[in-house]
Amino acid sequence: MIDKKVVLITGGAMGQGRTHAVEFAKKGYVTVLLDMLDPEDPRFAETVAMVEAEGGEALAIKANICSTPEMEAAFAAAWDKYGRLDVVVANAGIINFGYTWELEDEKVEKALAVNLEGTWRTDKYAAQYMMKQGYGRIINISSVSGLKGTEQLATYCMTKFGIIGLTKTLALELRNSGLPIYCNVVCPTKVRTPMCETDAYVDFVNTTMGKDFKSWQEMFEDEKNPGGLKFLNPIDITEMVLWLAESNEATKFTGREVVIDRGAML
């Protein structure tokens, strides 16, 4: 077992996962980064380089969170190499759009497989290894769309609601084990990540919020206007994830939703 703490992050190659990895590295953690991308992909390689620039160590693993054998192997590789898993962040997720009555099986099944089943699979192995070592912190990422309905986001809402239910169930089970293992869930509003940097996301915002953005760049700039659309930056979520991962105060609760919404739930 190494002396440094170890964090495992799914969807670790870019977006929120990248920011989590870099900031955990600054705190002295070894980072285990799981992603669908190959570690040789320039985006994944850039994240590893950013971690190493902070003096950190990154173990980059290509793993499909929809695959039990791949996730089992990824967790085993991290455990065999480091002998500990202090924190697991179930960050990976996707978004797709469509009115409920228009959705096809493929869209629904993909969202369920990645967002909900993928988080369950991450939590499953996190819990197994943390129970073996006798402690740990599991942090799931949901959304404000896991707390309220959102037009054209049926697949996202159903999976993000499900993540909150999963979190509460696992937290209860872990509490009843008597071990100091905590499981909580972060629920952000819209975030400036590649997930939002698409024409499909801009179309969704335009049709549901009465906007007329021509690009995601214009959409992000709108917050400078009075009453403009508000986005979080990835660091905003990372700071809360770090607090849940590190602080003694965060051990005072488990199975809770931590909402970072810039007033979106008002």
Side-chain angles (χ1 to χ4, degrees), residues 123-142:
D123 287 0
K124 170 184 177 176
Y125 293 111
Q128 287 181 4
Y129 283 102
M130 288 178 181
M131 291 175 74
K132 182 187 297 188
Q133 72 186 5
Y135 66 89
R137 303 196 191 189
I138 300 169
I139 303 161
N140 292 330
I141 306 297
S142 178

Side-chain angles (χ1 to χ4, degrees), residues 112-126:
L112 288 168
V114 175
N115 293 356
L116 187 52
E117 293 177 23
T119 300
W120 156 73
R121 200 169 277 108
T122 304
D123 287 0
K124 170 184 177 176
Y125 293 111

Side-chain angles (χ1 to χ4, degrees), residues 144-163:
V144 294
S145 291
L147 298 166
K148 65 182 181 70
T150 306
E151 191 177 7
Q152 294 191 39
L153 281 188
T155 59
Y156 198 65
C157 288
M158 71 172 79
T159 57
K160 294 299 186 176
F161 266 83
I163 288 170

